[in-house]
Amino acid sequence: MLVDALIYLVAAVICVPIAQWLKLGAVLGYLIAGAIIGPWGLKLVEDVESIMHFSEFGVVLMLFVIGLELEPKRLIEMRRRVFGGGALQIGLTGLALGLACLAMGLDWKAALVAGVALALSSTAIAVATMSERNFLPTPTGQSGFAVLLFQDIAAIPLLAIIPLLGGAVVGATSGEAGWLPAVKAFGAIAAVIVVGLYLTRPLLRMVAATNLREVFTAFSLLLVIGIAQVMNMAGLSMGLGAFLAGVLLAGSEYRRALETDIEPFKGLLLGLFFISVGMAIDFGLLINQPLMVAALLSGFLVFKLATLWLTARIIGVTSKQRWLFAILLSQGGEFGFVVFAAGQVSGVLSKEWAALLTMTVALSMVTTPLLLLLHDWWGARNESRNAARHQADEVDEKEATVIVAGFGRFGQIVGRLLFANGVKAVVLDHDPDQIETLRKFGYKVFYGDATRLDLLHAAGAKEATLMINAIDDVEDSIKLTDIVRENFPNIKMVARARNITHYVALRKRGVELVERETFESALRTGRHALEVLGFDRFRARDMAMIFRRHNLRVTEAAIPLFDDDDRMVSAAKAGRDELEEQFAEDRQRFDSGHSSKGW
């Protein structure tokens, strides 16, 4: 056991960072690691099935953590996405893939099982990829998650009908076959709801009262694994039960503690699950029947991507996000391994077709990160091409005395303040979507790259009094500064600095008025923190102003030293000591002033 654990950890620690460095994503790194150490690689691990069953708890823990972020009210609000979008996706994709299986010679029972099973997606891969890209909180990410949630629900009746399609006897009597499984399922769900609503919080309170972190962690794992086992015994999805338990605890005061304790186990077990999928790829089948496997995989991806894109369009996913939605859910699901194994046992699927379909699902999991890389490359290429084709707008504000370059989250505030005070300004931005949105709100924003000299001439830079450099990209901001300084030396400039390096670069170019974008807001936050800690409001303001003056003076003094690391560090330490002495002297004056007045 220790040797196996060592092998998994070494494989993950080597392969995943390399995959991340190559921008392939962590999931593909785990899959490659599994293929290398598995039966068709170095043969360091042979028992793939047992490790896959164990690592499936990673998916269970992941769904529990997701449930903790969804309060019941929000879940109810998602019901249309879950049951509408999910049922639509299963119906469209299952029908298309089922008909394709019929055309390949499978009988209707095998085609039904294969079509619906292949319509399912991998919750582990899809959610992990969305989380990695911070895509899950977006509307499209939520639509994708809703479809995945319905797939978990749909997998239950699919598994239940396989023995019936194969002619197996489900129970001792027809009565058992009809109502006993349903009673067990509803009983398990009711048990999870009762435990989540009435028993868990008092138990958590008792465990937390021990002040033993390891006991709280143990109870967290016991809770998730226990609920998963109850659902498993009832023939339901373990992940669905864990998700439901998480939703019921979403409003609990222990939500963050549970999430923190579960997170490390979730990450490790999910990684182990992906490794086990990589080990499960049957390269022998790939070598013996390469054309068949290639045809199945390509056909599966084409049909599934097409139906997912159509689903995305029907449920209202924006046109720019539809292919991304389709790619994220394009792979086969881990539940497919279970379905195909059950289909083989019941006689619905032959051994050969079960192996081919299992291989198709495993390989499709590998294609998802690769398709995402292709999507990113194609998107960047199109953006570049569209930007090159898009002609700059004709600027008709010749009487404007101010040019605002960049009208994003920073530039908008500056521009709105100027407009509100009757100041005419030419606003330039190079994001067509942003411009279209702003124009709906009545802002007159012109498309164009502000670093282009011809556009600056058209915007009236030669006659303008002031340039507001609010460009987000540091390189473009500095490039604009150089162009303006060289071609329009009389125009004054107020610039936004992303960080201290950007600040120094602008100051070295002669820009006198430079504002670090987070400096003032951070300073106000510091003032509020002092007030909360008991400092007088006016006293907190004075201390913040002392810090502000000192920081600006020290930063200005450090500009000539910025390229010398040793001198910079020495100056920073001296500045810190000076600030502490200044605060100490100020406290003395403040205390003596209060005591002289009898305070």
Side-chain angles (χ1 to χ4, degrees):
M1 181 178 177
L2 288 176
V3 173
D4 284 352
L6 182 65
I7 292 169
Y8 298 135
L9 291 172
V10 169
V13 168
I14 292 174
C15 293
V16 174
I18 292 174
Q20 288 282 63
W21 180 67
L22 294 173
K23 300 189 184 303
L24 299 176
V27 172
L28 188 55
Y30 284 118
L31 293 169
I32 293 170
I36 291 173
I37 67 175
W40 293 95
L42 299 176
K43 298 183 179 179
L44 299 176
V45 180
E46 298 285 349
D47 190 4
V48 178
E49 190 174 344
S50 63
I51 197 62
M52 182 174 282
H53 286 315
F54 174 73
S55 63
E56 281 177 2
F57 275 108
V59 183
V60 173
L61 294 175
M62 177 186 68
L63 288 169
F64 178 72
V65 172
I66 292 173
L68 287 173
E69 298 295 331
L70 282 173
E71 293 188 9
K73 181 181 177 183
R74 189 175 164 201
L75 186 61
I76 292 171
E77 291 173 356
M78 290 176 62
R79 65 187 182 278
R80 287 187 179 178
R81 287 180 180 176
V82 173
F83 293 99
L88 178 67
Q89 184 272 323
I90 289 285
L92 284 176
T93 309
L95 178 63
L97 291 172
L99 290 174
C101 289
L102 273 175
M104 294 184 70
L106 274 71
D107 62 43
W108 72 269
K109 295 179 181 179
L112 174 63
V113 171
V116 178
L118 291 172
L120 306 178
S121 305
S122 171
T123 303
I125 289 180
V127 174
T129 305
M130 286 191 282
S131 299
E132 189 178 332
R133 291 168 167 250
N134 198 28
F135 191 65
L136 195 56
T138 66
T140 304
Q142 289 293 293
S143 295
F145 177 71
V147 170
L148 290 168
L149 187 57
F150 183 83
Q151 289 179 1
D152 270 350
I153 298 170
I156 299 163
L158 172 62
L159 198 59
I161 66 169
I162 289 175
L164 300 177
L165 291 173
V169 180
V170 177
T173 67
S174 58
E176 284 184 352
W179 59 265
L180 187 58
V183 170
K184 289 170 65 177
F186 281 113
I189 293 172
V192 170
I193 293 173
V194 170
V195 169
L197 288 178
Y198 302 109
L199 298 180
T200 305
R201 292 191 188 187
L203 289 172
L204 282 168
R205 198 173 297 117
M206 289 170 58
V207 172
T210 65
N211 290 321
L212 295 172
R213 177 68 182 273
E214 64 274 17
V215 176
F216 192 89
T217 302
F219 182 80
S220 302
L221 289 171
L222 173 64
L223 176 67
V224 180
I225 295 173
I227 288 173
Q229 184 60 21
V230 168
M231 299 294 278
N232 188 43
M233 290 169 63
L236 300 176
S237 165
M238 293 191 295
L240 185 63
F243 173 77
L244 181 58
V247 170
L248 295 173
L249 290 170
S252 165
E253 64 271 28
Y254 300 105
R255 183 184 74 175
R256 292 301 175 196
L258 286 166
E259 188 175 347
T260 304
D261 285 350
I262 292 292
E263 190 71 33
F265 299 99
K266 180 204 81 173
L268 283 172
L269 287 173
L270 264 184
L272 186 59
F273 174 77
F274 297 138
I275 288 176
S276 69
V277 171
M279 292 191 296
I281 297 176
D282 187 352
F283 288 95
L285 189 63
L286 185 60
I287 294 168
N288 294 328
Q289 302 185 56
L291 295 178
M292 185 64 171
V293 172
L296 280 173
L297 179 62
S298 56
F300 165 69
L301 289 175
V302 167
F303 277 107
K304 193 161 186 181
L305 284 167
T307 53
L308 282 167
W309 185 90
L310 183 58
T311 301
R313 180 176 181 178
I314 295 172
I315 64 177
V317 175
T318 59
S319 58
K320 281 190 173 183
Q321 301 287 340
R322 286 171 193 162
W323 280 117
L324 181 58
F325 174 92
I327 291 171
L328 285 168
L329 274 65
S330 63
Q331 73 292 127
E334 50 273 354
F335 204 79
F337 300 136
V338 181
V339 172
F340 298 141
Q344 183 182 339
V345 170
S346 64
V348 173
L349 288 171
S350 67
K351 182 180 179 180
E352 291 74 18
W353 270 108
L356 283 168
L357 292 172
T358 299
M359 182 68 174
T360 302
V361 169
L363 288 177
S364 72
M365 293 180 174
V366 179
T367 62
T368 300
L370 299 176
L371 287 172
L372 284 170
L373 288 175
L374 181 63
H375 175 272
D376 293 342
W377 171 80
W378 185 257
R381 187 169 178 267
N382 279 342
E383 280 187 18
S384 176
R385 186 183 296 170
N386 291 338
R389 284 203 305 259
H390 202 301
Q391 297 296 319
D393 290 336
E394 292 290 332
V395 182
D396 56 6
E397 296 288 312
K398 295 298 184 181
E399 297 181 5
T401 57
V402 178
I403 298 173
V404 180
F407 211 59
R409 59 187 174 87
F410 190 92
Q412 285 182 43
I413 297 173
V414 179
R416 288 172 63 189
L417 179 61
L418 295 176
F419 295 151
N421 284 277
V423 177
K424 284 192 173 183
V426 174
V427 179
L428 304 175
D429 199 283
H430 70 281
D431 185 344
D433 294 331
Q434 173 82 334
I435 290 169
E436 187 176 345
T437 302
L438 290 167
R439 282 176 174 171
K440 290 177 182 177
F441 288 93
Y443 293 108
K444 203 163 188 178
V445 186
F446 299 97
Y447 173 84
D449 183 354
T451 62
R452 284 175 48 186
L453 183 59
D454 58 340
L455 183 62
L456 291 173
H457 274 294
K462 197 169 184 180
E463 296 81 21
T465 306
L466 178 65
M467 164 78 70
I468 308 292
N469 183 352
I471 295 177
D472 182 69
D473 185 81
V474 174
E475 290 185 10
D476 287 345
S477 171
I478 293 173
K479 183 179 178 182
L480 174 64
T481 303
D482 290 337
I483 291 172
V484 171
R485 282 283 168 263
E486 182 179 349
N487 296 278
F488 312 103
N490 296 324
I491 192 171
K492 293 181 181 179
M493 182 177 285
V494 177
R496 156 210 196 175
R498 290 288 302 272
N499 47 47
I500 192 67
T501 306
H502 191 192
Y503 177 90
V504 171
L506 291 169
R507 291 289 291 115
K508 282 185 173 181
R509 285 163 170 76
V511 182
E512 296 181 358
L513 298 172
V514 183
E515 288 293 339
R516 282 178 279 168
E517 63 177 32
T518 58
F519 183 70
E520 297 295 339
S521 57
L523 204 59
R524 289 184 66 86
T525 302
R527 279 178 54 186
H528 294 320
L530 291 173
E531 292 171 17
V532 171
L533 292 171
F535 286 76
D536 178 83
R537 183 161 59 93
F538 298 103
R539 173 70 176 148
R541 177 184 175 279
D542 289 342
M543 294 173 78
M545 293 307 297
I546 291 171
F547 179 88
R548 186 180 190 279
R549 289 192 296 268
H550 174 272
N551 186 274
L552 293 175
R553 180 172 57 79
V554 170
T555 302
E556 286 292 318
I559 290 176
L561 315 174
F562 201 75
D563 296 326
D564 189 329
D565 289 343
D566 293 336
R567 294 175 68 191
M568 270 292 297
V569 171
S570 178
K573 289 180 178 177
R576 183 187 63 193
D577 295 339
E578 181 187 339
L579 180 63
E580 290 176 356
E581 291 174 8
Q582 193 171 349
F583 274 134
E585 292 173 4
D586 190 73
R587 279 195 299 271
Q588 276 187 333
R589 285 195 299 269
F590 183 79
D591 293 340
S592 62
H594 277 61
S595 60
S596 64
K597 295 179 182 180
W599 295 350

